[in-house]
Amino acid sequence: MSGQGAWLLEFGSGQTGVIGERQLLHLLPAPLSLHEVPASPFFCRHVVIWEQEPVPVMALSAWLEGRPSRDEPTVVAVAAFFDTRAGENRYGALRLSAIPRRIVVSDEQACELPPDMAEWREIALSCVGHQSRALPIVNLAHVFSGGLSRRGTASSFAEALPMEAKADIPSL
Amino acid sequence: MSASSAIRPVKSIQGRYVVLTFAGMPLVLPDTDVYTLEPSSDVQPGGEADGVAGWIQADGRRWPVVCLDQNLGMTTLVPAERRVCVLLHHEAGYAGVLCEAVTTLEAESCRSLSLPPVLSTPGSPVRGLVQQEGFLGCLTSSAALLGSLSSQVGLSPPSPPESRPGSEVHP
């Protein structure tokens, strides 16, 4: 059976996943102009302007680990997904630690999600084996739906910051 | 490919927006939500027990003043850069918010956009985004902002100043 093209994405902290070839629309290289949104989840704190529109920027490695990422992304990938509830295409951006790599996968490569990747269960459509690695196929519609479970104890960036990271600021 | 189909506009306002900047983030409110601007030097510091950054006098009464962090939570640690106190209308009177800078935008020249659902959290006062050429801010309102803080501290009008002499002492 012939394979299909896909993009291998590295989200940082060793977390990797796959999206469909046609889902990746644009790569935005660093330095990025990200706009912070207050009172947003620690795993999605920013929007980036793409095609004159604000697109949410997701730090999947932060969500997977349940704590905010302090790493600057190497690149941000704008991706498309179909929102079945709205019945239309939507757009989201993913923080990546490396340039995406194009790979080819086929149905024969389908595999179970390994037990040590249980945190992926909520956001993986399925999983493929590639070069001795299990690669979850990312459910972008769920990732950007606003329905992600709140992993970790912090619901916000500020809550998740270690005490020593908070500025020593003078009182009024 | 355009992203326009993914972003739904929210109802825009007439008149002007006021942009409050603090912690590096612009927060946008309708100008009708703002009563007045005062220098932060007019703010009497609050004590730990107050839970607010301080108090300010207006219309013959004292009103609470809050200092917000990057998550729109209250802090009693006030950065020196917060030099402006924006007094907002509140259902029971007024409440002040300390800012680094205040500017205005013509609402007519702005696009109001809904907040992507993934950026929303329960209780967040952010109601949408406001975009103008080279600018993106988060839209809220006095009611939404102060309402989200009311769970942290009561923002009802305090007693007259003469009954609270201790609160004027800097800790």
Side-chain angles (χ1 to χ4, degrees):
Chain A
M1 183 179 286
S2 62
Q4 293 184 3
W7 291 103
L8 172 56
L9 308 180
E10 296 184 28
F11 303 110
S13 303
Q15 303 282 2
T16 56
V18 170
I19 62 172
E21 187 172 32
R22 293 185 179 181
Q23 288 188 291
L24 180 59
L25 302 179
H26 202 133
L27 294 179
L28 305 172
L32 293 156
S33 181
L34 300 178
H35 302 268
E36 188 170 10
V37 174
S40 54
F42 67 88
F43 48 83
C44 191
R45 289 289 301 177
H46 299 90
V47 295
V48 65
I49 302 297
W50 179 72
E51 298 276 322
Q52 285 91 51
E53 302 290 351
V55 175
V57 180
M58 170 66 66
L60 261 189
S61 64
W63 181 80
L64 288 163
E65 296 187 348
R67 56 185 167 85
S69 170
R70 310 286 296 176
D71 300 332
E72 286 299 311
T74 301
V75 65
V76 164
V78 179
F81 56 92
F82 188 73
D83 185 331
T84 51
R85 280 183 298 183
E88 59 185 26
N89 279 332
R90 293 282 168 92
Y91 306 90
L94 297 160
R95 294 167 69 112
L96 303 179
S97 60
I99 301 293
R101 275 192 298 136
R102 187 180 181 278
I103 61 173
V104 176
V105 296
S106 66
D107 290 346
E108 286 73 31
Q109 291 172 254
C111 66
E112 291 290 319
L113 200 61
D116 63 351
M117 294 176 68
E119 67 274 18
W120 276 92
R121 201 163 298 279
E122 182 181 335
I123 58 168
L125 288 168
S126 58
C127 189
V128 292
H130 178 77
Q131 295 179 346
S132 307
R133 295 164 70 187
L135 298 175
I137 297 174
V138 183
N139 183 348
L140 292 177
H142 181 60
V143 164
F144 289 101
S145 67
L148 279 179
S149 62
R150 298 302 162 102
R151 295 177 54 78
T153 55
S155 62
S156 68
F157 186 80
E159 283 177 48
L161 277 179
M163 285 302 291
E164 59 268 26
K166 295 180 178 174
D168 182 19
I169 43 183
S171 58
L172 186 72
Chain B
M1 190 178 295
S2 167
S4 58
S5 61
I7 308 291
R8 299 181 193 285
V10 296
K11 188 181 176 188
S12 60
I13 68 156
Q14 304 292 313
R16 300 177 77 85
Y17 288 120
V18 175
V19 183
L20 283 53
T21 302
F22 54 85
M25 294 181 295
L27 198 62
V28 182
L29 296 95
D31 71 345
T32 50
D33 284 9
V34 176
Y35 176 57
T36 186
L37 307 183
E38 302 288 347
S40 62
S41 56
D42 286 357
V43 176
Q44 298 170 345
E48 282 294 316
D50 295 329
V52 295
W55 304 91
I56 195 161
Q57 197 82 20
D59 290 353
R61 298 188 70 172
R62 265 183 2 153
W63 306 98
V65 175
V66 297
C67 181
L68 302 178
D69 61 21
Q70 61 183 350
N71 223 32
L72 302 183
M74 291 198 307
T75 174
T76 53
L77 301 174
V78 182
E81 298 77 28
R82 306 281 178 102
R83 295 192 179 93
V84 185
C85 176
V86 180
L87 210 53
L88 301 176
H89 290 287
H90 181 252
E91 60 183 7
Y94 309 110
V97 177
L98 291 169
C99 306
E100 294 156 17
V102 180
T103 56
T104 61
L105 293 171
E106 286 290 344
E108 203 173 59
S109 66
C110 299
R111 287 203 308 153
S112 299
L113 307 163
S114 59
L115 189 70
V118 68
L119 287 156
S120 183
T121 53
S124 168
V126 178
R127 296 291 182 259
L129 302 170
V130 172
Q131 188 182 22
Q132 200 193 43
E133 201 171 329
F135 171 84
L136 188 73
C138 292
L139 179 65
T140 187
S141 67
S142 174
L145 183 63
L146 299 177
S148 73
L149 300 175
S150 61
S151 60
Q152 298 178 53
V153 67
L155 289 178
S156 55
S159 51
E162 53 272 18
S163 66
R164 298 178 56 91
S167 65
E168 294 177 21
V169 178
H170 194 290

